Amino acid sequence: MAPTQLFRYWLCLLVLSLPLLLWFGHVIIWDDGSAAAKNRGLQGYTRISPGRMSQLLDIHCDQCAFVSSSGQMLGAGAGDEIDRIRCVIRMNNAPTGGYEKDVGSRTAVRVVSHTSVPLLVKNETYYFQQSANTTYVFWGPERNMRQDGKGPIFNLLLKMAIKYPEAKIYAVTRDKIQYCDSVFQNETGKNRMKTGAFLSTGFFTMILAMDMCDSITVYGMIDNNHCSLANRSFVPYHYYEKNRLDECRMYRVHEHTQRGGHRFITEKAIYGKWATRHKIEFKHPFWSF
């Protein structure tokens, strides 16, 4: 074939193939866009719902109120201030009814330990039906949260998700929990598992708050030095359990227990370091740096 004929042959082939190439490129771009839309959100938090197990928690707030469950909230009178903040984060089954003056009434996100799941299920119509505007984020060890049918807490949450399809129920992934362990070790120099400790719900809540919030105001959390002060306040561990153990006594027991405790005081020291690098402030009591 002569060079001129060969050139015309390839030119004709290119012209005929161009529409197909353009269509194929459009399909690739459309598919990539769809995948991005499906995976939009915060890595490490996936929805518990039939057919939506890959859906990520898609939430962002310019300002958040992180309300502690501490007895420090009793008499704080911070309810109106908290309710003016768009995203209010609470923990476990901490109630608002009867405590609105101090802790507010609104809840955007509730972070819940695997050990508190039965308490929510006990009052399931309130948490998963009446409070449908609240997003729930559950954390727990792999033995309780595994998704192969052998995770008892995960199975219970999946049952709630099926029963209340409008409920927004998410789980902290195994990778995210391992990430939180690495954060604890980087900040303290200690391996969390070797110390016999469990990260607290407060730790997971603070990590989530930093993931989803531009600025955070923490209410009712004491600093790591509070319990050593001679003039410290004596309040219950939880504001809604007035006859329970004193907060500082509970913290000391957990800080020094050999196995199964939370390192509350150590975690507070970590939060203090984070507050120098992120927009985090503490009220009731106020932390000074």
Side-chain angles (χ1 to χ4, degrees), residues 159-177:
K159 181 180 177 181
M160 292 297 103
I162 294 171
K163 190 173 181 179
Y164 304 99
E166 298 302 315
K168 293 172 283 189
I169 304 174
Y170 290 80
V172 180
T173 65
R174 180 172 58 181
D175 287 346
K176 190 69 172 183
I177 288 178

Side-chain angles (χ1 to χ4, degrees), residues 206 221 223-224 266-278 280 282 287 289:
M206 187 66 82
M221 185 180 289
D223 64 26
N224 60 301
T266 298
E267 289 181 3
K268 302 298 186 289
I270 294 172
Y271 305 156
K273 288 198 290 185
W274 289 348
T276 65
R277 306 193 297 264
H278 302 275
I280 306 174
F282 298 83
W287 292 23
F289 300 99

Side-chain angles (χ1 to χ4, degrees), residues 92-109:
N92 294 322
N93 63 319
T96 57
Y99 302 94
E100 293 91 344
K101 183 178 179 181
D102 291 328
V103 304
S105 59
R106 294 174 46 255
T107 307
V109 176

Side-chain angles (χ1 to χ4, degrees), residues 84-126:
R84 286 194 294 269
I85 297 175
R86 188 169 70 89
C87 292
V88 180
I89 308 171
R90 303 184 193 276
M91 293 182 289
N92 294 322
N93 63 319
T96 57
Y99 302 94
E100 293 91 344
K101 183 178 179 181
D102 291 328
V103 304
S105 59
R106 294 174 46 255
T107 307
V109 176
R110 191 177 285 273
V111 181
V112 184
S113 164
H114 60 112
T115 58
S116 293
V117 170
L119 297 175
L120 269 63
V121 172
K122 188 176 180 180
N123 195 6
E124 62 182 75
T125 55
Y126 170 76

Side-chain angles (χ1 to χ4, degrees), residues 139-154:
W139 73 271
E142 178 67 9
R143 67 178 183 274
N144 284 336
M145 300 297 288
R146 55 193 296 178
Q147 301 179 20
D148 59 357
K150 298 180 181 180
I153 297 300
F154 179 85

Side-chain angles (χ1 to χ4, degrees), residues 178-248:
Q178 290 174 347
Y179 164 78
C180 291
D181 280 344
S182 69
V183 169
F184 181 87
Q185 183 162 339
N186 289 339
E187 294 289 356
T188 64
K190 298 178 181 179
N191 181 280
R192 192 271 306 169
M193 295 184 68
K194 289 182 179 179
T195 67
F198 293 106
L199 296 177
S200 73
T201 300
F203 195 90
F204 288 104
T205 305
M206 187 66 82
I207 291 287
L208 173 60
M210 291 194 297
D211 284 343
M212 62 176 268
C213 311
D214 293 335
S215 66
I216 308 163
T217 303
V218 183
Y219 292 85
M221 185 180 289
I222 59 174
D223 64 26
N224 60 301
N225 296 313
H226 178 86
C227 292
S228 62
L229 299 176
N231 61 341
R232 71 173 180 84
S233 57
F234 289 81
V235 300
Y237 176 54
H238 289 150
Y239 67 79
Y240 51 91
E241 296 174 335
K242 298 179 183 178
N243 295 322
R244 294 293 295 273
L245 200 63
D246 170 69
E247 179 178 55
C248 282

Side-chain angles (χ1 to χ4, degrees), residues 44-101:
Y45 310 93
T46 57
R47 184 143 189 192
I48 300 178
S49 180
R52 300 190 205 173
M53 300 306 293
S54 62
Q55 181 178 335
L56 300 179
L57 176 62
D58 187 12
I59 185 170
H60 175 264
C61 302
D62 55 352
Q63 186 180 11
C64 293
F66 174 176
V67 184
S68 167
S69 301
S70 166
Q72 300 289 337
M73 293 306 296
L74 293 171
D80 289 341
E81 179 181 338
I82 290 170
D83 280 341
R84 286 194 294 269
I85 297 175
R86 188 169 70 89
C87 292
V88 180
I89 308 171
R90 303 184 193 276
M91 293 182 289
N92 294 322
N93 63 319
T96 57
Y99 302 94
E100 293 91 344
K101 183 178 179 181

